[in-house]
Amino acid sequence: GDACEQAALVSLAQADLARRLADADIVVNCIGVLQDGPAMDTDKVHRQFAMKLAAVCAAPPQKLLI
């Protein structure tokens, strides 16, 4: 389809993230930070968000996570 969305997803609760991705079949994780900074830390992006995103994509209906 033509659905593309840019949003600050890292700070969303898992339930809110699941609602935002409810209509998606495929999710592409392109997020990343090179170093900790005032706006974002690497653990929050590369570990915490990745785990939350994987859990959302694994729950029914499953989504392909790339």
Side-chain angles (χ1 to χ4, degrees), residues 5 8-27 49 51-63:
E5 182 174 351
L9 302 175
V10 173
S11 298
L12 290 178
Q14 187 168 322
D16 294 328
L17 182 60
R19 278 192 289 282
R20 298 287 296 257
L21 299 176
D23 294 331
D25 296 316
I26 300 170
V27 177
F49 177 73
M51 290 173 53
K52 187 176 6 179
L53 184 60
V56 167
C57 290
Q62 290 184 335
K63 298 155 185 1

Side-chain angles (χ1 to χ4, degrees), residues 18-41:
R19 278 192 289 282
R20 298 287 296 257
L21 299 176
D23 294 331
D25 296 316
I26 300 170
V27 177
V28 179
N29 180 11
C30 296
I31 195 167
V33 293
L34 297 176
Q35 63 187 27
D36 291 337
M40 195 60 58
D41 68 61

